[in-house]
């Protein structure tokens, strides 16, 4: 059989040569044959761009044209796909991405912040220009969750999407647990290990994970990305006490993202939650990510894998490149951007059990007073544990039956008046997983 | 903005109206709007086929043409995609699928047996005709593992693919463990619950799961499907004793499929293995499936979800239908069938620790004799446990350091000559997960 003529190569321009960019270069160089057989055509890098040309990098870039300006890279006539790995949700990355779309390029990006803030406008621009934006690497690192949600579960009306999607937070929480160290000490460890973003609040404040959740919610529920509506609470207030006490009651504390469509609108929250210690989420250690996808037909699908790092993130970028090389062209969020609904944001008030920790002052009838306040707020107690104490107050842990955040907030606001509670009570939602 | 003209519907012909077929009908009926927005065009059923037209089914089929003969369905001019949900690897399903391809239809099938036996020929025929065959539902039910492997991880050279992919076997093993019941009793339970195939050996003999493994291996390693080269060992010889003893040593027994490319060739095995009790595979309960995919860049990705049932399997079928509706067209095994290599089958001999259970006859120096035999076979002992006993023999459990199946088989063949071992020793591979 004569060899068929070789199909035209897909030509990449890569903007950003940090860890992920170099990871992509390495895969393209190492797996040229594999990629050609899987794509039906060669995949080539033609040009690259980064801030500092002189920096010593762990890859041979001599075969590629160099552009100091990513916008110039995005406008090159010999680039088919603009691969944006610069980061940042304003400035150069946004300008370059817009230039790429305007210049008729497809785009692959790992930039969750950019899409969380400008995803709707970018998707509309791309679709008007007949171009695609793919962003597998923007959410949960090496886990192909965008593909799973957009394609693998596309026959489902999604019910709920959950995930532990910031490896640094999960590292901090599991390290506090295993080493018995306070938050500040482990935060400092994480900083020294290079696990934290330049602005650590992106990690520990839940912002980075919130960006990711907002992208998943858009695909899952066919709504415009609405990062501003994500309820964000970081892990900075989680004490080693809470981790220990939650453990005593059979739970782990996770920074858990949850998006679900309710009768009141779209709930999106990225907050510390308790999950059963023996559940897949509860068992998740260190920097690993996990996403839980629930659909009306499929039930529950759980995906677990590395959430960051050169190889995993580059693997996700390459999945998008290969999709484009194979001629698969999907709208950014799985349906035309113009058809995405404007979501009604709903406060996270869907019923759940809650974990309460409070310091009870040693007075006769103290526990009865607390129980009365809870009862009057319509909260019933599932399990309660009071610890021995040497001080004037004793820790009390309560796991409630299903109730609402509103009821819990109301009860907590009534506790000071009892005169039997010291300090600030802690209330953490227990998510059914 | 004027409404764009409505794109032409994708027209399905569904052959087989069992649980899965009816599940697909329900999704298409319930989610017409959702499917149209996600596919960019309507998805419609135009005709169906099954053995018994008069059977009472849990769906309204009155709007569809009926064909008694699936081949006639496959040849209909108004069908774009032939959805084969009949099952069986010869006869009607094969004839209908071939007719569909010959007639220029794309094909979606859940038929693992058919593809395990005839995948290469069918893929070649489809590709010669410019048609696609998709089979997400053939492996691991609702888990989108075919898509994850073929697309999501396509930038990786895969290292190993593993999975618990027969829910019935996992149900039997975990039920034996939790209820302390012998194999025969739980097998009978499973039969009464309707969990077993008409020929139960398809399940408990590992054949069904072996079919699935052979399909994953073809995609992962770019090799022709070679089901005949899968080393198959079912769960019929697993005793409640082994489950208990393995538990004592910190392991669970799973019917685990493993495919990996070695220097000697392609290893494919579907055999009982021990896995750490606290690993994701070890914690897998009941009928749930789990697939572990390891690539050179991504590291390890774990997927978990329902392995069977109306909703999950129909969800997988719909994922393929939607892929076709969106115009994504992949070769059956992720690269052109003609380019798939003929794999060199390698006996499963890659090094691993082994679990050995044997009955030691109560004689002075008995344990030393066993240890000598192992030492002479080059096997070193990691952990050993001898149980108290009232009889003339005592159970001894040994966990070895890494060794080969050949060394273990050799040692076992030498044990009778020691005169200190009663009955047949049990040896089970411990898979690193």
């Amino acid at each position: 059989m004569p060899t068929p003529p070789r199909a035209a190569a897909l030509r990449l321009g890569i903007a950003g040569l940090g860890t992920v960019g170099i990871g992509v270069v390495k895969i393209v160089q190492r797996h040229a044959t594999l990629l050609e057989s899987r794509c039906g055509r060669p995949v080539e890098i033609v040009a690259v761009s980064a801030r500092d040309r002189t920096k010593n990098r762990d890859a041979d870039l001599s075969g590629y044209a160099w552009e100091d300006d990513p916008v110039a890279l995005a406008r090159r006539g010999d680039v088919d796909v603009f691969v944006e790995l610069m980061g940042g949700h304003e400035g150069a990355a946004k300008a370059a991405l817009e230039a790429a779309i305007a210049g008729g390029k497809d785009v692959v990006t790992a930039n969750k912040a950019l899409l969380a803030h400008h995803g709707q406008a970018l998707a509309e621009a791309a679709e008007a220009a007949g171009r695609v934006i793919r962003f597998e690497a923007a959410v949960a690192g090496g886990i192909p969750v965008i593909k799973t949600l957009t394609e693998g579960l596309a026959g489902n009306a999604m019910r709920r999407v959950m995930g532990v999607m910031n490896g640094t937070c999960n590292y901090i929480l599991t390290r506090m647990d295993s080493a018995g160290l306070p938050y500040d000490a482990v935060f400092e460890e994480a900083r020294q290990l290079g696990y934290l973003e330049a602005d650590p609040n992106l990690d520990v404040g839940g912002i980075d994970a919130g960006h990711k959740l907002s992208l998943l919610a858009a695909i899952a529920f066919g709504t415009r990305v609405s990062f501003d509506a994500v309820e964000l609470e970081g892990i900075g207030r989680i004490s080693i006490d809470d981790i220990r006490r939650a453990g005593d009651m059979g739970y782990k504390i996770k920074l858990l993202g949850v998006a679900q469509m309710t009768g009141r609108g779209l709930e999106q929250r990225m907050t510390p939650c308790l999950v059963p210690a023996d559940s897949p989420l509860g068992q998740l250690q260190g920097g690993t990510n996990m996403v839980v996808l629930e659909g009306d037909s499929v039930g529950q699908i759980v995906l677990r894998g590395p959430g960051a790092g050169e190889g995993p993130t580059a693997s996700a970028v390459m999945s998008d490149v290969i999709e484009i090389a194979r001629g698969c062209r999907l709208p950014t969020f799985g349906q035309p951007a113009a058809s995405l609904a404007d979501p009604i944001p709903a406060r996270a008030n869907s019923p759940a059990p809650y974990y309460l920790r409070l310091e009870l002052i040693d007075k006769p009838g103290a526990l009865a007073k607390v129980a009365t306040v809870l009862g009057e707020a319509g909260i019933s107690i599932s399990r309660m544990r009071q610890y021995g104490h040497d001080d004037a107050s004793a820790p009390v842990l309560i796991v409630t039956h299903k109730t609402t955040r509103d009821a819990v907030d109301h009860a907590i606001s009534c506790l000071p008046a009892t005169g039997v509670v010291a300090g600030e009570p802690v209330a953490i939602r227990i998510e059914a997983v």
Side-chain angles (χ1 to χ4, degrees), chain A residues 137-158:
Chain A
V139 181
I143 305 176
V145 59
I146 300 296
K147 186 169 279 290
T148 300
L149 191 55
T150 315
E151 304 175 44
L153 305 183
N156 290 263
M158 296 308 294

Side-chain angles (χ1 to χ4, degrees), chain A residues 16-19 21-23 25-26 50-62 66 310:
Chain A
L17 294 171
T19 309
I22 294 300
V25 169
K26 287 182 187 169
R51 256 179 298 211
D52 179 1
R53 187 169 187 171
T54 62
K55 191 173 161 187
N56 198 9
R57 294 185 171 88
D58 181 25
D60 176 9
L61 305 172
S62 60
W66 181 278
E310 176 183 307

Side-chain angles (χ1 to χ4, degrees), chain A residues 347-429:
Chain A
R347 180 157 177 271
N349 203 33
S350 59
Y354 273 78
Y355 156 96
L356 307 177
R357 177 170 65 85
L358 43 87
E359 288 289 320
L360 205 61
I361 296 170
D362 191 8
K363 288 183 187 171
L367 197 56
K369 285 184 181 169
V370 168
T372 301
V373 164
L374 294 177
E376 284 171 0
I379 298 170
S380 67
I381 295 173
S382 166
R383 289 190 290 150
M384 199 273 296
R385 189 176 292 194
Q386 179 166 351
Y387 286 81
H389 54 105
D390 305 318
D391 306 325
S393 69
V396 171
L397 305 186
I398 294 169
V399 171
T400 74
H401 284 293
K402 270 194 183 179
T403 180
T404 62
R405 180 82 224 181
D406 285 346
V408 170
D409 287 348
H410 174 69
I412 286 178
S413 73
C414 296
L415 283 175
T418 62
V420 299
V421 174
E424 285 239 6
V426 170
I428 309 179
R429 182 184 172 96

Side-chain angles (χ1 to χ4, degrees), chain A residues 83-371:
Chain A
V83 182
E84 188 276 298
L85 304 171
M86 305 157 63
H89 70 273
E90 300 294 346
K94 179 160 177 276
L97 210 149
E98 287 169 343
I101 292 167
K105 322 294 189 203
D106 292 321
V107 170
V108 172
T109 177
N111 195 328
K112 59 224 74 164
L114 178 59
L115 291 175
H117 287 281
H118 304 292
Q120 181 66 27
L122 291 169
E124 286 181 7
E127 289 164 30
R131 296 293 105 196
V132 299
I133 300 176
R134 303 312 299 149
F135 56 102
E136 186 62 81
V139 181
I143 305 176
V145 59
I146 300 296
K147 186 169 279 290
T148 300
L149 191 55
T150 315
E151 304 175 44
L153 305 183
N156 290 263
M158 296 308 294
R159 290 183 166 154
R160 187 170 62 158
V161 173
M162 293 192 289
V164 169
M165 294 182 285
N166 182 282
T168 303
C169 288
N170 202 53
Y171 167 80
I172 291 175
L173 292 173
T174 54
R175 172 87 177 135
M176 285 171 72
D177 193 6
S178 61
L181 289 169
Y183 175 81
D184 291 341
V186 178
F187 178 90
E188 196 45 43
E189 269 188 18
R191 184 201 294 278
Q192 283 170 15
L193 288 165
Y195 290 179
L196 284 162
E197 300 271 354
D199 172 6
N201 197 43
L202 286 175
D203 287 314
V204 298
I207 297 169
D208 165 81
H211 288 153
K212 296 168 182 168
L213 182 71
S214 72
L215 300 178
L216 293 183
I219 302 167
F221 304 111
T223 47
R224 290 165 173 242
V225 183
S226 50
F227 167 66
D228 291 344
V230 178
E231 291 194 25
L232 287 180
E233 185 187 327
I235 61 169
R237 290 172 59 203
I238 301 296
S239 71
I240 179 69
D241 258 9
D242 281 316
I243 289 178
R244 282 194 189 123
R245 302 305 189 199
D248 290 352
M249 305 295 266
Y251 297 103
K252 298 284 182 189
I253 301 183
K254 297 290 171 190
L255 179 65
L256 186 66
V258 181
Q260 62 191 125
M261 191 57 82
T262 72
R264 298 166 291 109
L266 177 63
E267 258 190 52
Q268 297 180 90
R269 50 199 151 85
M270 180 58 67
T271 60
C273 285
L274 266 62
V275 295
D278 62 357
S279 66
L281 279 166
Q283 289 159 346
L284 195 69
Q285 295 286 314
T288 308
N289 279 201
M290 182 173 283
V291 184
V292 179
L293 305 171
E294 294 175 350
D296 64 342
S297 288
V298 78
Q300 188 185 73
I301 298 288
V302 180
L303 314 176
R304 180 182 185 279
E310 176 183 307
T313 314
S315 164
V317 170
M318 288 310 300
S319 147
D320 287 339
V321 167
I322 293 165
E323 183 178 302
I324 292 170
R326 283 169 162 166
C328 296
R329 304 186 66 78
L330 300 184
T332 309
F333 298 106
Q335 63 183 70
S339 73
L340 295 165
D342 223 347
I344 300 160
R347 180 157 177 271
N349 203 33
S350 59
Y354 273 78
Y355 156 96
L356 307 177
R357 177 170 65 85
L358 43 87
E359 288 289 320
L360 205 61
I361 296 170
D362 191 8
K363 288 183 187 171
L367 197 56
K369 285 184 181 169
V370 168

Side-chain angles (χ1 to χ4, degrees), chain A residues 5-11 36 39-44 80 325:
Chain A
R6 202 167 181 219
L10 186 77
R11 300 165 300 173
E36 182 168 354
C39 297
R41 59 196 289 202
V43 174
E44 296 174 2
D80 300 313

